[in-house]
Amino acid sequence: MLTNRRPRNHPGRLIVLFFRLTAGSFPAAATSWFVRVDGGDASQCTGQSDAAYPGNGIQQACAWNHPFMALPPGGPARIQGGDTLYIGAGSYRMGLGAPGAENCHASWSWDCYMVAVPSGPSETQKTRILGAGHDAACPNSPELWGTERASMVLNLQGSSQVEVACLEITDRESCILFHCHGGNCPGEVDACNRDGPPFGDYAGAGIKASDSNHVLLRDINIHGMAHSGIHGGRLHDWVTERLTLRANGWVGWDGDLGDGGSSDSGNMTFRELEIAWNGCGERYPSGEIFGCWAQQAGGYGDGMGNATTNANWLFEDSYIHHNTSDG
């Protein structure tokens, strides 16, 4: 009997292939979130529209009123890795008493800081924290000011694939932690209150970071912190552009986590960096420099100080001056 069945390898045969798509096949969808001073809390606004809270209703199409709505102390974060958080112009209290700080308590107010920024899924899809004007030379950067002895303002502990841009980070108390505790400091002693709450409008560090890879900081001004501008270790492939660390009471950049394992790796790149007047305090609101002290007076005063560290360190077009100890 003759049939018209074609051989298995005949070119006319239809072959259907099935592919299994994994979660990593496509980039994760990213969401834009908005914070502005006239926004609402997390129940009033969705946070996904750059608009003011209309004054009534819940889950309205409007912005949140504080970065804590996105990254609440104690967590969990309301944003995901790869998302962008836009922070509008204005001043934002960071610590006890701020909107979104309901989990904080006066008895341990030093723990009242934002949960760590979620890591982005890749180097090309970073989680971004962007202040107003980030795309126009930052003419009016939003101010994040620490208060009530908060340990830090911005938390990058364990945060990788992150970009932070166009922020002013400071506090509003004219004090330095443990200032002149050795008793041999000349002039007026301006130690921060640690005896009991209320502690005052100061915070320890502008940014704390550890175990953090592929981070970009640009147009960030950290000044007047009670202890350090940036406290970070075990960093890998960081880039800073137009970073300023000015008049932080102990140190500008502190690379020693104090646990014997602070070494950095990869490339640590600094472009248009300014580190100045660290080891001194800064009066609020005048910005007057005061209380400069170095190691012989019981302070520290390094512009940049590290534990034993690796990495390739590149500094371009940078200005490091008037720090009370090593540059």
Side-chain angles (χ1 to χ4, degrees), residues 112-132:
C112 192
Y113 51 80
M114 62 173 57
V115 69
V117 175
S119 296
S122 70
E123 292 179 50
T124 57
Q125 191 179 356
K126 289 180 166 68
T127 305
R128 301 189 300 163
I129 311 296
L130 304 179

Side-chain angles (χ1 to χ4, degrees), residues 106 148-149 193-200:
E148 285 302 314
R149 199 182 159 186
N193 169 37
R194 287 173 50 88
D195 295 334
F199 293 104

Side-chain angles (χ1 to χ4, degrees), residues 6 26 41 61 86 159:
R6 295 189 179 99
F26 298 101
D41 63 29
Y86 295 97
S159 303

Side-chain angles (χ1 to χ4, degrees), residues 6-15:
R6 295 189 179 99
R8 288 175 180 261
N9 61 350
H10 193 282
R13 186 178 182 211
L14 176 64
I15 301 175

Side-chain angles (χ1 to χ4, degrees), residues 106-180:
S107 297
W108 47 87
S109 60
W110 47 87
D111 286 337
C112 192
Y113 51 80
M114 62 173 57
V115 69
V117 175
S119 296
S122 70
E123 292 179 50
T124 57
Q125 191 179 356
K126 289 180 166 68
T127 305
R128 301 189 300 163
I129 311 296
L130 304 179
H134 68 94
D135 54 353
C138 303
N140 189 23
S141 298
E143 177 192 55
L144 309 184
W145 59 276
T147 187
E148 285 302 314
R149 199 182 159 186
S151 297
M152 69 192 80
V153 174
L154 181 62
N155 185 356
L156 296 180
Q157 296 178 117
S159 303
S160 296
Q161 283 86 242
V162 170
E163 177 183 357
V164 183
C166 204
L167 295 177
E168 179 183 3
I169 300 176
T170 187
D171 66 20
R172 294 185 173 184
E173 189 82 9
S174 302
C175 73
I176 299 171
L177 275 172
F178 308 110
H179 192 227
C180 293

Side-chain angles (χ1 to χ4, degrees), residues 46-294:
T46 63
Q48 295 185 33
S49 181
D50 187 11
Y53 177 55
N56 57 73
I58 62 172
Q59 291 301 292
Q60 299 292 302
C62 49
W64 290 324
N65 60 2
H66 195 279
F68 279 175
M69 300 302 160
L71 300 163
R78 292 189 175 96
I79 66 173
Q80 304 296 317
D83 289 353
T84 298
L85 177 66
Y86 295 97
I87 302 178
S91 294
Y92 300 87
R93 177 187 180 101
M94 305 297 293
L96 187 71
E102 291 77 17
N103 290 335
C104 299
H105 194 281
S107 297
W108 47 87
S109 60
W110 47 87
D111 286 337
C112 192
Y113 51 80
M114 62 173 57
V115 69
V117 175
S119 296
S122 70
E123 292 179 50
T124 57
Q125 191 179 356
K126 289 180 166 68
T127 305
R128 301 189 300 163
I129 311 296
L130 304 179
H134 68 94
D135 54 353
C138 303
N140 189 23
S141 298
E143 177 192 55
L144 309 184
W145 59 276
T147 187
E148 285 302 314
R149 199 182 159 186
S151 297
M152 69 192 80
V153 174
L154 181 62
N155 185 356
L156 296 180
Q157 296 178 117
S159 303
S160 296
Q161 283 86 242
V162 170
E163 177 183 357
V164 183
C166 204
L167 295 177
E168 179 183 3
I169 300 176
T170 187
D171 66 20
R172 294 185 173 184
E173 189 82 9
S174 302
C175 73
I176 299 171
L177 275 172
F178 308 110
H179 192 227
C180 293
H181 57 85
N184 56 347
C185 240
E188 185 179 0
V189 176
D190 294 274
C192 299
N193 169 37
R194 287 173 50 88
D195 295 334
F199 293 104
D201 288 333
Y202 75 88
I207 297 175
K208 284 194 176 184
S210 56
D211 306 300
S212 175
N213 307 325
H214 300 105
V215 168
L216 170 61
L217 303 181
R218 59 181 180 88
D219 300 295
I220 306 294
N221 179 11
I222 306 175
H223 62 96
M225 306 307 300
H227 189 275
S228 49
I230 293 180
H231 189 189
R234 297 192 299 273
L235 311 179
H236 176 84
D237 283 357
W238 270 43
V239 176
T240 78
E241 298 175 349
R242 297 173 298 281
L243 170 67
T244 298
L245 303 172
R246 181 183 185 274
N248 300 290
W250 279 75
V251 56
W253 179 291
D254 184 356
D256 187 355
L257 299 178
D259 59 5
S262 303
S263 184
D264 304 312
S265 59
N267 297 311
M268 299 293 289
T269 303
F270 302 86
R271 301 187 179 105
E272 298 180 68
L273 169 70
E274 183 175 10
I275 305 181
W277 298 105
N278 295 287
C280 303
E282 183 184 66
R283 298 283 185 202
Y284 177 80
S286 69
E288 174 194 357
I289 299 295
F290 78 97
C292 298
W293 61 327

